[in-house]
Amino acid sequence: MSALPSLFTDFLNRHVDEVNEYLRAFFADKTDSADIEAYLYAPLSAFSDNAGKRHRPLICMLACAAVGGDFHRALSAASAIEHFQSAALIHDDIADNGHLRRGKPCLHITEGVGIAINCGDYALTLVTDAILRDEGLDDACKLAVLRELVDMMQRTVEGQALDLGWVRDGRFDITVADYLAMATHKTAYYSGAIPLACGAIIGGGTTEQIEALRSFGMDTGLAFQIQDDLLNLIGEKESRNKDFRSDITEGKRTLVAVHALRSSDHHDELVDILTSETEDPARLARAVELFEDTGSIDYARNYALELTARAKRTLEGVELDVRAAELLLAMADFFVERLN
């Protein structure tokens, strides 16, 4: 394994405070009403603060630099994408009846479902507000970025519709192609393709540069989802978390589960576990055993590795800032390293 992944994590760590500070400004000193503060801005701000490495906003800014733009000009688009993620996660946790988000109780657990829904709704308004209020972007650029963000939101909701609908209707006839379509819509657009496209647009990139970065983001965004699903099942660090193997408890149609259901001689047993909402470690371990026996964990890992390799090939021959391109390749390798 190369040293590239550490370059990406160093980049994230170096700039995450800038993004956090920028995001906090959307919630600070917004009202004189103590009640509005208590029921809206404070819980939403706390949810936003309980974040990871902010890779989505930072790759948006990195794409801006990759095409020769000023890294910080993409802050508003970066924050818009992060606000959308907050809204999506708040609503997703309610739909999935989740209990933990990043190691802390979900917002609907601490504040109630109504307050949580409203906080998510407000976060959605910030997606457009962040762009419209950015005086550093001209109108043509704002319109182009807003088109991307609207497409991102629509595609993500389509993916969520599939994910929720399959669970509601007890669907276990899902194919690998079905899963890939769902995950591409639900995750790859907002985790990779659109952040990179928006950053490249703001940076003044050419059509070739924008589309290459979009394609790179689509593949790495899907790989990111697959590796997250795998880590929920077998991650060493994740095994210490309370929500370890929660995807099994929630009956999620992950690539691993879909592949196993179509390959296992124990189909009915696996369906029984996935529909039981079990939190019994022994039954969760049995599901993972079945996933391993069918080769489904290796299948998903290899698929993510192939996506990452294809993404890296996409950037070959495209004129980009050397340092920024190196960091983007490091991002791809970061996903590979976590899978290994």
Side-chain angles (χ1 to χ4, degrees):
M1 182 58 58
S2 72
L4 278 177
S6 65
L7 292 177
F8 183 61
T9 55
D10 288 347
F11 164 74
L12 295 177
N13 293 333
R14 189 165 62 251
H15 294 288
V16 67
D17 288 342
E18 294 178 63
V19 175
N20 287 336
E21 183 179 356
Y22 191 86
L23 286 167
R24 289 187 189 111
F26 287 88
F27 310 114
D29 302 320
K30 292 298 182 182
T31 180
D32 293 330
S33 168
D35 283 347
I36 294 178
E37 175 68 17
Y39 299 144
L40 178 63
Y41 294 112
L44 187 51
S45 180
F47 183 89
S48 179
D49 275 345
N50 182 30
K53 292 182 177 293
R54 305 285 194 195
H55 94 263
R56 292 172 185 83
L58 285 166
I59 64 171
C60 176
M61 298 166 71
L62 183 57
C64 182
V67 299
D70 178 355
F71 178 79
H72 293 95
R73 283 195 76 225
L75 258 172
S76 62
S79 69
I81 292 160
E82 196 71 358
H83 290 315
F84 174 72
Q85 188 197 24
S86 290
L89 293 180
I90 290 168
H91 291 160
D92 198 29
D93 287 340
I94 296 168
D96 290 342
N97 193 29
H99 292 89
L100 290 174
R101 172 62 62 184
R102 301 174 183 135
K104 292 186 178 181
C106 294
L107 195 64
H108 68 275
I109 300 294
T110 60
E111 305 297 327
V113 172
I115 293 292
I117 290 173
N118 198 55
C119 285
D121 290 346
Y122 185 81
L124 283 175
T125 72
L126 296 177
V127 177
T128 51
D129 183 65
I131 303 302
L132 293 174
R133 293 180 184 273
D134 187 347
E135 296 180 356
L137 303 180
D138 61 37
D139 289 347
C141 184
K142 287 181 180 180
L143 187 59
V145 170
L146 287 172
R147 285 196 188 103
E148 295 287 343
L149 293 174
V150 168
D151 187 51
M152 172 192 75
M153 291 187 284
Q154 291 175 339
R155 299 292 83 77
T156 305
V157 172
E158 287 176 346
Q160 178 74 332
L162 291 174
D163 201 15
L164 293 172
W166 293 339
V167 172
R168 187 197 69 179
D169 292 346
R171 295 277 302 280
F172 287 100
D173 59 340
I174 309 305
T175 66
V176 167
D178 292 331
Y179 166 83
L180 294 173
M182 180 277 291
T184 296
H185 282 68
K186 183 176 177 178
T187 302
Y189 278 92
Y190 93 92
S191 289
I194 301 303
L196 290 171
C198 285
I201 289 168
I202 292 170
T206 65
T207 299
E208 180 188 20
Q209 289 172 322
I210 294 167
E211 294 312 312
L213 287 166
R214 186 195 306 279
S215 178
F216 175 87
M218 192 70 79
D219 283 340
T220 54
L222 184 53
F224 178 81
Q225 179 62 59
I226 294 170
Q227 62 92 14
D228 254 15
D229 293 343
L230 283 166
L231 292 172
N232 183 265
L233 297 174
I234 59 173
E236 182 176 341
K237 177 182 176 182
E238 286 72 13
S239 67
R240 299 188 290 272
N241 296 337
K242 290 183 179 179
D243 58 350
F244 184 54
R245 296 179 173 169
S246 59
D247 285 355
I248 300 171
T249 303
E250 295 171 12
K252 288 191 175 180
R253 279 64 166 171
T254 63
L255 181 57
V256 173
V258 169
H259 183 270
L261 284 165
R262 301 185 73 82
S263 308
S264 178
D265 293 332
H266 301 274
H267 177 277
D268 292 346
E269 180 185 2
L270 192 49
V271 168
D272 182 61
I273 295 173
L274 290 170
T275 56
S276 68
E277 300 183 0
T278 183
E279 296 181 1
D280 177 5
R283 296 204 76 196
L284 298 177
R286 174 57 178 163
V288 173
E289 181 184 357
L290 293 173
F291 292 155
E292 290 173 337
D293 288 347
T294 56
S296 300
I297 287 177
D298 286 340
Y299 175 84
R301 180 187 285 112
N302 290 333
Y303 198 95
L305 294 174
E306 290 170 6
L307 284 169
T308 302
R310 185 172 73 183
K312 293 170 72 174
R313 289 194 298 270
T314 299
L315 296 190
E316 294 176 2
V318 180
E319 185 177 349
L320 297 171
D321 174 85
V322 174
R323 175 61 176 170
E326 185 180 46
L327 285 166
L328 288 169
L329 295 175
M331 178 185 80
D333 280 349
F334 174 69
F335 296 155
V336 175
E337 182 180 69
R338 293 184 73 192
L339 289 172
N340 289 333

